[in-house]
């Protein structure tokens, strides 16, 4: 099980409070700040409340990282179903992690998850057609998004979409470096 840092725990608590109040919050935290750890704790809390948990993401590398974090935080006794290309997952698991492109091709199957608690990693993708169709098919009772980039490619913020009700901001990278949560860096550029 992970020991969350203070700023991670604060994001979990603010996000959960917002979600339980009926909002769809978006947690914004820098790359490397531990969003997957935050996601794992949100899943643990939802399971404690007896909820079915679905985590969505868009890349196999992220799916692999999420599953490993969930297994570490929830313990090996929690069997996690995985929906990805070529898989035939059991739909009776309490936790399912799925790739949005695959889930979108299996929309009728997602009826098994209606009313779930949905944790959307890299949620800045949430307005793409595959994501909106997947989220609609899941019809979650509760939802929370996580991202490091709350601005979409069209320049609009996630708060402008109508999907998210509240952005909850984590500490800036400089603050994380100051407390030793992120490695300091120096940037070098070649001049011509």
């Amino acid at each position: 099980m992970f020991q969350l840092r203070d700023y991670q725990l604060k994001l979990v608590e603010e996000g959960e409070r917002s979600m339980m109040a009926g909002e769809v919050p978006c947690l914004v935290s820098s790359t490397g700040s531990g969003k997957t750890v935050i996601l794992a704790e949100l899943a643990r809390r939802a399971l404690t409340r007896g909820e079915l948990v679905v985590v969505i993401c868009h890349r196999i590398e992220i799916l692999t990282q999420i599953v490993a974090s969930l297994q570490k935080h929830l313990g090996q006794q929690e069997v996690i179903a995985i929906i990805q290309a070529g898989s035939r997952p059991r739909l009776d698991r309490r936790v399912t992690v799925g790739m949005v492109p695959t889930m979108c091709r299996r929309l009728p199957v997602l009826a098994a998850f209606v009313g779930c608690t949905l944790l959307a990693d890299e949620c800045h993708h949430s307005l793409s057609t595959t994501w909106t169709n997947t989220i609609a098919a899941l019809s979650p009772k509760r939802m929370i998004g996580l991202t490091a980039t709350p601005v979409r490619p069209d320049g609009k913020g996630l708060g402008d979409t109508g999907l998210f009700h509240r952005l909850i901001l984590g500490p800036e990278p400089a603050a994380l470096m100051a407390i030793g949560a992120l490695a300091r860096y120096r940037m070098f550029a070649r001049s011509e």
Side-chain angles (χ1 to χ4, degrees):
M1 184 175 242
F2 296 116
Q3 179 67 39
L4 274 69
R5 296 174 183 258
D6 290 343
Y7 71 89
Q8 293 168 331
L9 194 54
K10 183 179 178 199
L11 282 170
V12 166
E13 289 172 354
E14 281 189 56
E16 184 177 49
R17 195 169 26 255
S18 174
M19 185 175 59
M20 296 305 285
E23 296 179 326
V24 179
C26 175
L27 304 182
V28 180
S29 197
S30 326
T31 300
S33 65
K35 284 183 295 300
T36 307
V37 172
I38 292 167
L39 186 145
E41 176 61 12
L42 288 165
R44 187 193 68 75
R45 290 176 180 216
L47 289 171
T48 300
R49 291 189 300 267
E51 299 169 8
L52 179 67
V53 176
V54 176
V55 181
I56 59 173
C57 61
H58 73 296
R59 296 183 55 186
I60 190 68
E61 297 85 1
I62 293 171
L63 179 134
T64 303
Q65 179 184 0
I66 289 169
V67 169
S69 292
L70 287 169
Q71 287 174 332
K72 182 173 183 178
H73 197 60
L74 302 176
Q76 295 297 326
Q77 77 280 0
E78 192 68 55
V79 179
I80 300 167
I82 299 171
I83 299 176
Q84 65 183 30
S87 70
R88 296 284 178 249
R90 291 195 44 183
L91 302 178
D92 62 346
R93 302 299 184 202
R94 295 181 346 133
V95 180
T96 300
V97 181
M99 299 270 301
V100 171
T102 305
M103 294 174 91
C104 192
R105 287 190 296 274
R106 301 179 185 180
L107 291 178
V109 172
L110 301 185
F113 303 112
V114 168
C116 67
T117 293
L118 178 59
L119 308 175
D121 194 36
E122 303 290 340
C123 68
H124 53 276
H125 296 286
S126 61
L127 284 195
S128 72
T129 303
T130 55
W131 281 68
T132 56
N133 290 344
T134 299
I135 292 168
L138 291 167
S139 188
K141 179 177 181 180
R142 294 186 177 88
M143 178 177 166
I144 193 164
L146 299 96
T147 187
T149 52
V151 177
R152 299 180 354 225
D154 63 6
K156 293 183 180 176
L158 288 177
D160 299 330
T161 67
L163 177 59
F164 295 99
H165 302 119
R166 182 168 175 228
L167 295 178
I168 300 172
L169 304 177
E172 295 289 326
L176 294 173
M177 285 183 236
I179 64 169
L182 271 182
R184 295 191 178 279
Y185 66 91
R186 289 178 47 193
M187 185 180 279
F188 298 92
R190 192 176 112 178
S191 63
E192 296 197 39

